[in-house]
Amino acid sequence: MNILKQMVINIDNFTSTDKKIYKALLEFPQLIERDSIAQLASYLKVSPSSIMRFCQKAGYSGYSEFKFEYLKQLNAFNESKQKKSILEFFLSIYTQTLEEIGNLDENIFINLCEEIYNSKNTRCVGNGKSSLPGDKLKLNLAPYGKEIISLNDVCLYRDLPKIIQDDDLTIFFSVTARSIGIYECIKECYEFNKKSVLVTCLPDKKILKYVNNVIYIPKKVQNKYLITDSHAMMIIFVDLLSNYYTNFITNQL
């Protein structure tokens, strides 16, 4: 039984004294938590028998049963409210993450869409979790007839610069671009004069001279309670890029 709902249902049958008790319990629920029936009656300036009748109108045998159920439901409500507050806090961190991505220049997305559209083959290269953005881009653009080749193992992309063609595009996803496989592949693409893009957060400065185009993704948002890591930032970037590509394709038709 929902005790508050039950009181609302019976409110038309309440006397002026009942309504006084009802209003006090809604505004000051701590009264019933701390006070006995005699103390509550004294505070409200009503008789204990009036409180007893009020409890019975709400569907309970007496004050003790009413108090037990009232406090149980009040605690459940407070716990639910607290959980919602925690969720809202976590969502605020993700909102902050989106705002960080939102600071990127829109031309970054537009220009990269054009490069992907005009390339004969587009390959995405990444190690470990950095391979996930490439996999996602592959899935996102497949419905539009754009095949993306996602390479996530150094054995697969070690000799890549030697086989890619002049009108191909290679997109590297790497937080720092410090891993030997990624570093060497980027360097060789540059030496073979192949088009490449590096999507990164904190790149090794030595690699920057070997990249045609560097897109800086905001680094991870972190506080005491929650971390949204750099790879999550890249996934968001890819989703935004995919939406830009959808719009780009529509305008080409």
Side-chain angles (χ1 to χ4, degrees):
M1 180 190 300
N2 186 310
I3 196 167
L4 295 176
K5 185 181 291 185
Q6 191 66 24
M7 286 192 289
V8 170
I9 291 172
N10 290 292
I11 197 167
D12 290 338
N13 299 321
F14 283 175
T15 64
S16 58
T17 300
D18 291 333
K19 290 178 180 178
K20 183 178 182 179
I21 298 169
Y22 171 68
K23 183 178 179 182
L25 293 181
L26 286 182
E27 293 182 359
F28 307 105
Q30 66 271 22
L31 291 176
I32 196 170
E33 183 175 12
R34 76 184 186 197
D35 292 347
S36 65
I37 189 170
Q39 291 170 320
L40 182 60
S42 175
Y43 180 83
L44 297 178
K45 295 181 171 54
V46 299
S47 66
S49 59
S50 294
I51 295 177
M52 183 66 73
R53 285 193 295 272
F54 173 84
C55 295
Q56 291 169 345
K57 286 180 182 179
Y60 296 91
S61 60
Y63 179 73
S64 295
E65 185 184 10
F66 177 88
K67 179 176 181 177
F68 176 80
E69 288 297 326
Y70 188 86
L71 293 177
K72 184 172 75 171
Q73 292 182 30
L74 183 64
N75 289 335
F77 173 78
N78 288 335
E79 286 178 7
S80 174
K81 186 176 180 181
Q82 184 180 16
K83 288 179 181 178
K84 184 178 180 181
S85 297
I86 293 172
L87 176 61
E88 288 173 345
F89 171 73
F90 285 154
L91 288 176
S92 71
I93 302 300
Y94 281 101
T95 300
Q96 183 182 347
T97 301
L98 292 173
E99 289 174 349
E100 291 283 343
I101 294 287
N103 291 328
L104 292 173
D105 187 341
E106 187 174 36
N107 288 321
I108 289 174
F109 296 98
I110 295 171
N111 294 337
L112 186 52
C113 283
E114 290 180 354
E115 288 194 73
I116 293 172
Y117 180 79
N118 292 321
S119 67
K120 182 176 181 180
N121 297 294
T122 299
R123 296 175 177 85
C124 293
V125 178
N127 280 335
K129 287 198 293 183
S130 292
S131 67
L132 297 177
D135 292 339
K136 185 162 182 57
L137 188 63
K138 175 181 178 179
L139 293 172
N140 287 358
L141 300 194
Y144 304 101
K146 187 64 182 181
E147 182 180 359
I148 303 292
I149 303 167
S150 183
L151 305 173
N152 57 13
D153 190 301
V154 66
C155 295
L156 297 175
Y157 59 75
R158 181 170 49 197
D159 297 321
L160 180 63
K162 299 174 183 177
I163 62 173
I164 56 180
Q165 302 174 31
D166 292 339
D167 50 0
D168 289 350
L169 174 67
T170 305
I171 304 174
F172 293 93
F173 290 97
S174 180
V175 174
T176 63
R178 291 193 181 102
S179 65
I180 295 177
I182 293 290
Y183 184 95
E184 292 300 325
C185 193
I186 291 174
K187 184 178 178 182
E188 286 188 32
C189 280
Y190 176 82
E191 291 171 348
F192 281 88
N193 199 28
K194 307 301 182 182
K195 287 188 295 184
S196 64
V197 176
L198 172 62
V199 181
T200 184
C201 299
L202 299 166
D204 188 320
K205 292 181 180 179
K206 293 186 295 183
I207 199 64
L208 297 181
K209 62 183 178 181
Y210 299 120
V211 187
N212 307 117
N213 183 10
V214 181
I215 297 174
Y216 291 94
I217 301 296
K219 61 182 180 179
K220 64 185 178 183
V221 175
Q222 178 176 356
N223 63 31
K224 181 179 178 181
Y225 302 100
L226 180 69
I227 297 175
T228 53
D229 68 13
S230 303
H231 300 98
M233 295 284 203
M234 289 184 180
I235 292 292
I236 295 170
F237 171 81
V238 164
D239 265 345
L240 288 171
L241 177 64
S242 301
N243 282 291
Y244 269 95
Y245 192 83
T246 301
N247 184 66
F248 181 84
I249 286 292
T250 302
N251 291 333
Q252 297 300 310
L253 298 178

PDB file of all heavy atoms in Angstrom, residues 11 15 19 54 66 70 72 76 84 91 107 114 120-121 136 158 167 169 175 199 202 207 222 224 232 239 247 250:
ATOM      1  N   ILE A  11      -8.599  12.049   1.472  1.00  0.00           N
ATOM      2  CA  ILE A  11      -8.517  13.436   1.936  1.00  0.00           C
ATOM      3  C   ILE A  11      -9.886  14.110   2.023  1.00  0.00           C
ATOM      4  O   ILE A  11     -10.115  14.974   2.870  1.00  0.00           O
ATOM      5  CB  ILE A  11      -7.555  14.256   1.041  1.00  0.00           C
ATOM      6  CG1 ILE A  11      -7.152  15.552   1.761  1.00  0.00           C
ATOM      7  CG2 ILE A  11      -8.178  14.528  -0.324  1.00  0.00           C
ATOM      8  CD1 ILE A  11      -5.991  16.267   1.102  1.00  0.00           C
ATOM      9  N   THR A  15     -11.157  15.438   8.477  1.00  0.00           N
ATOM     10  CA  THR A  15     -11.628  16.595   9.235  1.00  0.00           C
ATOM     11  C   THR A  15     -10.549  17.669   9.184  1.00  0.00           C
ATOM     12  O   THR A  15      -9.443  17.439   8.658  1.00  0.00           O
ATOM     13  CB  THR A  15     -11.891  16.205  10.696  1.00  0.00           C
ATOM     14  OG1 THR A  15     -10.641  15.811  11.293  1.00  0.00           O
ATOM     15  CG2 THR A  15     -12.895  15.060  10.791  1.00  0.00           C
ATOM     16  N   LYS A  19      -6.537  17.080   8.351  1.00  0.00           N
ATOM     17  CA  LYS A  19      -5.785  17.834   7.345  1.00  0.00           C
ATOM     18  C   LYS A  19      -4.570  18.522   7.964  1.00  0.00           C
ATOM     19  O   LYS A  19      -3.524  18.657   7.323  1.00  0.00           O
ATOM     20  CB  LYS A  19      -6.690  18.857   6.671  1.00  0.00           C
ATOM     21  CG  LYS A  19      -7.749  18.216   5.774  1.00  0.00           C
ATOM     22  CD  LYS A  19      -8.678  19.257   5.160  1.00  0.00           C
ATOM     23  CE  LYS A  19      -9.731  18.586   4.276  1.00  0.00           C
ATOM     24  NZ  LYS A  19     -10.686  19.548   3.700  1.00  0.00           N
ATOM     25  N   PHE A  54      -6.621   9.292  12.518  1.00  0.00           N
ATOM     26  CA  PHE A  54      -6.015   9.647  11.231  1.00  0.00           C
ATOM     27  C   PHE A  54      -5.300   8.432  10.624  1.00  0.00           C
ATOM     28  O   PHE A  54      -5.439   8.144   9.430  1.00  0.00           O
ATOM     29  CB  PHE A  54      -5.023  10.797  11.428  1.00  0.00           C
ATOM     30  CG  PHE A  54      -4.219  11.131  10.205  1.00  0.00           C
ATOM     31  CD1 PHE A  54      -4.723  11.969   9.228  1.00  0.00           C
ATOM     32  CD2 PHE A  54      -2.942  10.596  10.017  1.00  0.00           C
ATOM     33  CE1 PHE A  54      -3.986  12.269   8.086  1.00  0.00           C
ATOM     34  CE2 PHE A  54      -2.201  10.893   8.887  1.00  0.00           C
ATOM     35  CZ  PHE A  54      -2.722  11.733   7.917  1.00  0.00           C
ATOM     36  N   PHE A  66       1.374   2.593  11.183  1.00  0.00           N
ATOM     37  CA  PHE A  66       1.437   3.728  10.261  1.00  0.00           C
ATOM     38  C   PHE A  66       2.858   4.290  10.197  1.00  0.00           C
ATOM     39  O   PHE A  66       3.400   4.545   9.119  1.00  0.00           O
ATOM     40  CB  PHE A  66       0.459   4.814  10.725  1.00  0.00           C
ATOM     41  CG  PHE A  66       0.499   6.064   9.889  1.00  0.00           C
ATOM     42  CD1 PHE A  66      -0.281   6.190   8.752  1.00  0.00           C
ATOM     43  CD2 PHE A  66       1.331   7.132  10.243  1.00  0.00           C
ATOM     44  CE1 PHE A  66      -0.246   7.348   7.977  1.00  0.00           C
ATOM     45  CE2 PHE A  66       1.375   8.287   9.478  1.00  0.00           C
ATOM     46  CZ  PHE A  66       0.583   8.394   8.342  1.00  0.00           C
ATOM     47  N   TYR A  70       5.212   4.369   6.927  1.00  0.00           N
ATOM     48  CA  TYR A  70       5.520   5.721   6.450  1.00  0.00           C
ATOM     49  C   TYR A  70       7.026   5.911   6.305  1.00  0.00           C
ATOM     50  O   TYR A  70       7.518   6.406   5.283  1.00  0.00           O
ATOM     51  CB  TYR A  70       4.946   6.749   7.424  1.00  0.00           C
ATOM     52  CG  TYR A  70       5.037   8.180   6.939  1.00  0.00           C
ATOM     53  CD1 TYR A  70       4.050   8.721   6.125  1.00  0.00           C
ATOM     54  CD2 TYR A  70       6.110   8.997   7.298  1.00  0.00           C
ATOM     55  CE1 TYR A  70       4.120  10.031   5.679  1.00  0.00           C
ATOM     56  CE2 TYR A  70       6.200  10.308   6.858  1.00  0.00           C
ATOM     57  CZ  TYR A  70       5.201  10.820   6.051  1.00  0.00           C
ATOM     58  OH  TYR A  70       5.276  12.115   5.604  1.00  0.00           O
ATOM     59  N   LYS A  72       9.326   3.538   6.093  1.00  0.00           N
ATOM     60  CA  LYS A  72       9.864   2.616   5.091  1.00  0.00           C
ATOM     61  C   LYS A  72       9.726   3.205   3.690  1.00  0.00           C
ATOM     62  O   LYS A  72      10.670   3.180   2.887  1.00  0.00           O
ATOM     63  CB  LYS A  72       9.142   1.268   5.177  1.00  0.00           C
ATOM     64  CG  LYS A  72       9.720   0.213   4.229  1.00  0.00           C
ATOM     65  CD  LYS A  72       9.121  -1.153   4.473  1.00  0.00           C
ATOM     66  CE  LYS A  72       7.717  -1.241   3.932  1.00  0.00           C
ATOM     67  NZ  LYS A  72       7.192  -2.638   3.977  1.00  0.00           N
ATOM     68  N   ALA A  76      12.682   4.626   1.091  1.00  0.00           N
ATOM     69  CA  ALA A  76      12.774   4.113  -0.280  1.00  0.00           C
ATOM     70  C   ALA A  76      12.769   5.266  -1.278  1.00  0.00           C
ATOM     71  O   ALA A  76      13.513   5.272  -2.265  1.00  0.00           O
ATOM     72  CB  ALA A  76      11.615   3.159  -0.559  1.00  0.00           C
ATOM     73  N   LYS A  84      19.172   8.749  -8.424  1.00  0.00           N
ATOM     74  CA  LYS A  84      18.949   9.626  -9.564  1.00  0.00           C
ATOM     75  C   LYS A  84      19.969  10.754  -9.574  1.00  0.00           C
ATOM     76  O   LYS A  84      20.480  11.137 -10.623  1.00  0.00           O
ATOM     77  CB  LYS A  84      17.528  10.188  -9.516  1.00  0.00           C
ATOM     78  CG  LYS A  84      17.168  11.034 -10.726  1.00  0.00           C
ATOM     79  CD  LYS A  84      15.741  11.522 -10.656  1.00  0.00           C
ATOM     80  CE  LYS A  84      15.410  12.373 -11.877  1.00  0.00           C
ATOM     81  NZ  LYS A  84      14.030  12.897 -11.837  1.00  0.00           N
ATOM     82  N   LEU A  91      26.019  11.731 -15.752  1.00  0.00           N
ATOM     83  CA  LEU A  91      25.612  12.267 -17.052  1.00  0.00           C
ATOM     84  C   LEU A  91      26.219  13.646 -17.294  1.00  0.00           C
ATOM     85  O   LEU A  91      26.532  13.999 -18.434  1.00  0.00           O
ATOM     86  CB  LEU A  91      24.084  12.343 -17.138  1.00  0.00           C
ATOM     87  CG  LEU A  91      23.358  11.004 -17.277  1.00  0.00           C
ATOM     88  CD1 LEU A  91      21.846  11.206 -17.243  1.00  0.00           C
ATOM     89  CD2 LEU A  91      23.749  10.296 -18.571  1.00  0.00           C
ATOM     90  N   ASN A 107      35.110  22.414 -39.828  1.00  0.00           N
ATOM     91  CA  ASN A 107      35.797  22.113 -41.086  1.00  0.00           C
ATOM     92  C   ASN A 107      36.611  20.824 -41.007  1.00  0.00           C
ATOM     93  O   ASN A 107      36.892  20.195 -42.035  1.00  0.00           O
ATOM     94  CB  ASN A 107      36.716  23.274 -41.486  1.00  0.00           C
ATOM     95  CG  ASN A 107      35.916  24.475 -41.964  1.00  0.00           C
ATOM     96  OD1 ASN A 107      34.909  24.322 -42.651  1.00  0.00           O
ATOM     97  ND2 ASN A 107      36.346  25.665 -41.587  1.00  0.00           N
ATOM     98  N   GLU A 114      35.190  14.723 -47.162  1.00  0.00           N
ATOM     99  CA  GLU A 114      35.554  14.860 -48.576  1.00  0.00           C
ATOM    100  C   GLU A 114      36.703  13.924 -48.937  1.00  0.00           C
ATOM    101  O   GLU A 114      36.692  13.289 -50.001  1.00  0.00           O
ATOM    102  CB  GLU A 114      35.937  16.309 -48.876  1.00  0.00           C
ATOM    103  CG  GLU A 114      34.757  17.276 -48.836  1.00  0.00           C
ATOM    104  CD  GLU A 114      35.173  18.706 -49.131  1.00  0.00           C
ATOM    105  OE1 GLU A 114      36.393  18.954 -49.256  1.00  0.00           O
ATOM    106  OE2 GLU A 114      34.286  19.568 -49.234  1.00  0.00           O
ATOM    107  N   LYS A 120      40.022   6.228 -53.157  1.00  0.00           N
ATOM    108  CA  LYS A 120      39.680   4.937 -53.753  1.00  0.00           C
ATOM    109  C   LYS A 120      39.518   3.889 -52.658  1.00  0.00           C
ATOM    110  O   LYS A 120      38.576   3.099 -52.665  1.00  0.00           O
ATOM    111  CB  LYS A 120      40.775   4.510 -54.734  1.00  0.00           C
ATOM    112  CG  LYS A 120      40.469   3.199 -55.442  1.00  0.00           C
ATOM    113  CD  LYS A 120      41.539   2.875 -56.473  1.00  0.00           C
ATOM    114  CE  LYS A 120      41.203   1.571 -57.195  1.00  0.00           C
ATOM    115  NZ  LYS A 120      42.233   1.231 -58.217  1.00  0.00           N
ATOM    116  N   ASN A 121      40.455   3.871 -51.735  1.00  0.00           N
ATOM    117  CA  ASN A 121      40.395   2.963 -50.582  1.00  0.00           C
ATOM    118  C   ASN A 121      40.688   3.762 -49.318  1.00  0.00           C
ATOM    119  O   ASN A 121      41.617   4.574 -49.296  1.00  0.00           O
ATOM    120  CB  ASN A 121      41.427   1.838 -50.710  1.00  0.00           C
ATOM    121  CG  ASN A 121      41.175   0.947 -51.911  1.00  0.00           C
ATOM    122  OD1 ASN A 121      40.176   0.249 -51.984  1.00  0.00           O
ATOM    123  ND2 ASN A 121      42.091   0.996 -52.879  1.00  0.00           N
ATOM    124  N   LYS A 136      34.238   0.942 -35.917  1.00  0.00           N
ATOM    125  CA  LYS A 136      32.939   1.620 -35.884  1.00  0.00           C
ATOM    126  C   LYS A 136      32.706   2.426 -37.159  1.00  0.00           C
ATOM    127  O   LYS A 136      31.596   2.438 -37.704  1.00  0.00           O
ATOM    128  CB  LYS A 136      32.845   2.526 -34.661  1.00  0.00           C
ATOM    129  CG  LYS A 136      31.478   3.167 -34.490  1.00  0.00           C
ATOM    130  CD  LYS A 136      31.272   3.688 -33.097  1.00  0.00           C
ATOM    131  CE  LYS A 136      29.877   4.281 -32.922  1.00  0.00           C
ATOM    132  NZ  LYS A 136      28.802   3.306 -33.232  1.00  0.00           N
ATOM    133  N   ARG A 158      51.953  -3.699 -41.285  1.00  0.00           N
ATOM    134  CA  ARG A 158      53.400  -3.473 -41.281  1.00  0.00           C
ATOM    135  C   ARG A 158      53.913  -3.046 -42.654  1.00  0.00           C
ATOM    136  O   ARG A 158      54.738  -2.140 -42.777  1.00  0.00           O
ATOM    137  CB  ARG A 158      54.117  -4.740 -40.815  1.00  0.00           C
ATOM    138  CG  ARG A 158      55.637  -4.614 -40.746  1.00  0.00           C
ATOM    139  CD  ARG A 158      56.229  -5.816 -40.042  1.00  0.00           C
ATOM    140  NE  ARG A 158      55.699  -7.065 -40.592  1.00  0.00           N
ATOM    141  CZ  ARG A 158      55.774  -8.246 -39.975  1.00  0.00           C
ATOM    142  NH1 ARG A 158      56.339  -8.323 -38.785  1.00  0.00           N
ATOM    143  NH2 ARG A 158      55.279  -9.330 -40.536  1.00  0.00           N
ATOM    144  N   ASP A 167      45.801   7.503 -54.525  1.00  0.00           N
ATOM    145  CA  ASP A 167      44.479   8.056 -54.212  1.00  0.00           C
ATOM    146  C   ASP A 167      43.805   7.329 -53.048  1.00  0.00           C
ATOM    147  O   ASP A 167      42.592   7.410 -52.868  1.00  0.00           O
ATOM    148  CB  ASP A 167      43.569   8.040 -55.443  1.00  0.00           C
ATOM    149  CG  ASP A 167      43.532   6.681 -56.129  1.00  0.00           C
ATOM    150  OD1 ASP A 167      44.222   5.754 -55.640  1.00  0.00           O
ATOM    151  OD2 ASP A 167      42.820   6.545 -57.140  1.00  0.00           O
ATOM    152  N   LEU A 169      43.492   6.650 -48.812  1.00  0.00           N
ATOM    153  CA  LEU A 169      43.591   7.438 -47.582  1.00  0.00           C
ATOM    154  C   LEU A 169      43.766   6.491 -46.400  1.00  0.00           C
ATOM    155  O   LEU A 169      43.062   5.485 -46.290  1.00  0.00           O
ATOM    156  CB  LEU A 169      42.320   8.276 -47.373  1.00  0.00           C
ATOM    157  CG  LEU A 169      42.217   9.040 -46.043  1.00  0.00           C
ATOM    158  CD1 LEU A 169      43.281  10.139 -45.966  1.00  0.00           C
ATOM    159  CD2 LEU A 169      40.820   9.630 -45.862  1.00  0.00           C
ATOM    160  N   VAL A 175      46.217   7.290 -29.385  1.00  0.00           N
ATOM    161  CA  VAL A 175      46.226   8.321 -28.345  1.00  0.00           C
ATOM    162  C   VAL A 175      47.532   9.097 -28.363  1.00  0.00           C
ATOM    163  O   VAL A 175      47.555  10.325 -28.282  1.00  0.00           O
ATOM    164  CB  VAL A 175      45.989   7.695 -26.951  1.00  0.00           C
ATOM    165  CG1 VAL A 175      46.137   8.749 -25.853  1.00  0.00           C
ATOM    166  CG2 VAL A 175      44.606   7.057 -26.884  1.00  0.00           C
ATOM    167  N   VAL A 199      44.421  10.782 -35.983  1.00  0.00           N
ATOM    168  CA  VAL A 199      43.453  11.222 -34.975  1.00  0.00           C
ATOM    169  C   VAL A 199      44.049  10.847 -33.626  1.00  0.00           C
ATOM    170  O   VAL A 199      44.239   9.664 -33.327  1.00  0.00           O
ATOM    171  CB  VAL A 199      42.079  10.544 -35.177  1.00  0.00           C
ATOM    172  CG1 VAL A 199      41.089  11.042 -34.125  1.00  0.00           C
ATOM    173  CG2 VAL A 199      41.544  10.823 -36.579  1.00  0.00           C
ATOM    174  N   LEU A 202      47.396  13.028 -27.468  1.00  0.00           N
ATOM    175  CA  LEU A 202      48.681  13.512 -26.957  1.00  0.00           C
ATOM    176  C   LEU A 202      49.811  12.898 -27.775  1.00  0.00           C
ATOM    177  O   LEU A 202      50.547  12.032 -27.289  1.00  0.00           O
ATOM    178  CB  LEU A 202      48.837  13.131 -25.478  1.00  0.00           C
ATOM    179  CG  LEU A 202      47.790  13.700 -24.518  1.00  0.00           C
ATOM    180  CD1 LEU A 202      47.863  12.985 -23.179  1.00  0.00           C
ATOM    181  CD2 LEU A 202      48.013  15.194 -24.336  1.00  0.00           C
ATOM    182  N   ILE A 207      56.520  12.478 -34.190  1.00  0.00           N
ATOM    183  CA  ILE A 207      55.730  11.921 -35.285  1.00  0.00           C
ATOM    184  C   ILE A 207      55.056  12.996 -36.124  1.00  0.00           C
ATOM    185  O   ILE A 207      54.684  12.760 -37.278  1.00  0.00           O
ATOM    186  CB  ILE A 207      54.667  10.934 -34.729  1.00  0.00           C
ATOM    187  CG1 ILE A 207      54.150  10.001 -35.838  1.00  0.00           C
ATOM    188  CG2 ILE A 207      53.492  11.686 -34.107  1.00  0.00           C
ATOM    189  CD1 ILE A 207      55.180   9.084 -36.406  1.00  0.00           C
ATOM    190  N   GLN A 222      38.434  13.587 -16.547  1.00  0.00           N
ATOM    191  CA  GLN A 222      38.608  12.759 -15.355  1.00  0.00           C
ATOM    192  C   GLN A 222      38.331  13.572 -14.104  1.00  0.00           C
ATOM    193  O   GLN A 222      38.675  14.740 -14.003  1.00  0.00           O
ATOM    194  CB  GLN A 222      40.036  12.210 -15.302  1.00  0.00           C
ATOM    195  CG  GLN A 222      40.337  11.361 -14.075  1.00  0.00           C
ATOM    196  CD  GLN A 222      41.738  10.771 -14.135  1.00  0.00           C
ATOM    197  OE1 GLN A 222      42.455  10.932 -15.108  1.00  0.00           O
ATOM    198  NE2 GLN A 222      42.131  10.088 -13.084  1.00  0.00           N
ATOM    199  N   LYS A 224      37.255  12.651  -9.584  1.00  0.00           N
ATOM    200  CA  LYS A 224      37.406  11.662  -8.514  1.00  0.00           C
ATOM    201  C   LYS A 224      36.540  10.432  -8.740  1.00  0.00           C
ATOM    202  O   LYS A 224      36.875   9.331  -8.304  1.00  0.00           O
ATOM    203  CB  LYS A 224      37.050  12.328  -7.179  1.00  0.00           C
ATOM    204  CG  LYS A 224      37.193  11.435  -5.959  1.00  0.00           C
ATOM    205  CD  LYS A 224      36.842  12.205  -4.702  1.00  0.00           C
ATOM    206  CE  LYS A 224      36.937  11.327  -3.470  1.00  0.00           C
ATOM    207  NZ  LYS A 224      36.565  12.059  -2.238  1.00  0.00           N
ATOM    208  N   ALA A 232      37.020   6.680 -25.727  1.00  0.00           N
ATOM    209  CA  ALA A 232      35.606   7.059 -25.784  1.00  0.00           C
ATOM    210  C   ALA A 232      35.444   8.346 -26.584  1.00  0.00           C
ATOM    211  O   ALA A 232      34.493   8.510 -27.353  1.00  0.00           O
ATOM    212  CB  ALA A 232      35.048   7.235 -24.374  1.00  0.00           C
ATOM    213  N   ASP A 239      31.389   8.893 -34.493  1.00  0.00           N
ATOM    214  CA  ASP A 239      29.939   9.000 -34.664  1.00  0.00           C
ATOM    215  C   ASP A 239      29.560  10.344 -35.293  1.00  0.00           C
ATOM    216  O   ASP A 239      28.704  10.411 -36.177  1.00  0.00           O
ATOM    217  CB  ASP A 239      29.229   8.835 -33.319  1.00  0.00           C
ATOM    218  CG  ASP A 239      28.776   7.403 -33.079  1.00  0.00           C
ATOM    219  OD1 ASP A 239      28.746   6.622 -34.051  1.00  0.00           O
ATOM    220  OD2 ASP A 239      28.452   7.057 -31.936  1.00  0.00           O
ATOM    221  N   ASN A 247      25.308  13.462 -44.192  1.00  0.00           N
ATOM    222  CA  ASN A 247      24.866  14.744 -44.741  1.00  0.00           C
ATOM    223  C   ASN A 247      25.611  15.074 -46.034  1.00  0.00           C
ATOM    224  O   ASN A 247      25.029  15.578 -47.002  1.00  0.00           O
ATOM    225  CB  ASN A 247      25.104  15.841 -43.700  1.00  0.00           C
ATOM    226  CG  ASN A 247      24.578  17.191 -44.145  1.00  0.00           C
ATOM    227  OD1 ASN A 247      23.381  17.378 -44.302  1.00  0.00           O
ATOM    228  ND2 ASN A 247      25.479  18.138 -44.351  1.00  0.00           N
ATOM    229  N   THR A 250      24.258  12.960 -48.899  1.00  0.00           N
ATOM    230  CA  THR A 250      22.936  13.464 -49.301  1.00  0.00           C
ATOM    231  C   THR A 250      23.072  14.656 -50.238  1.00  0.00           C
ATOM    232  O   THR A 250      22.342  14.777 -51.230  1.00  0.00           O
ATOM    233  CB  THR A 250      22.121  13.870 -48.062  1.00  0.00           C
ATOM    234  OG1 THR A 250      21.995  12.738 -47.192  1.00  0.00           O
ATOM    235  CG2 THR A 250      20.732  14.347 -48.456  1.00  0.00           C
TER     236      THR A 250
END
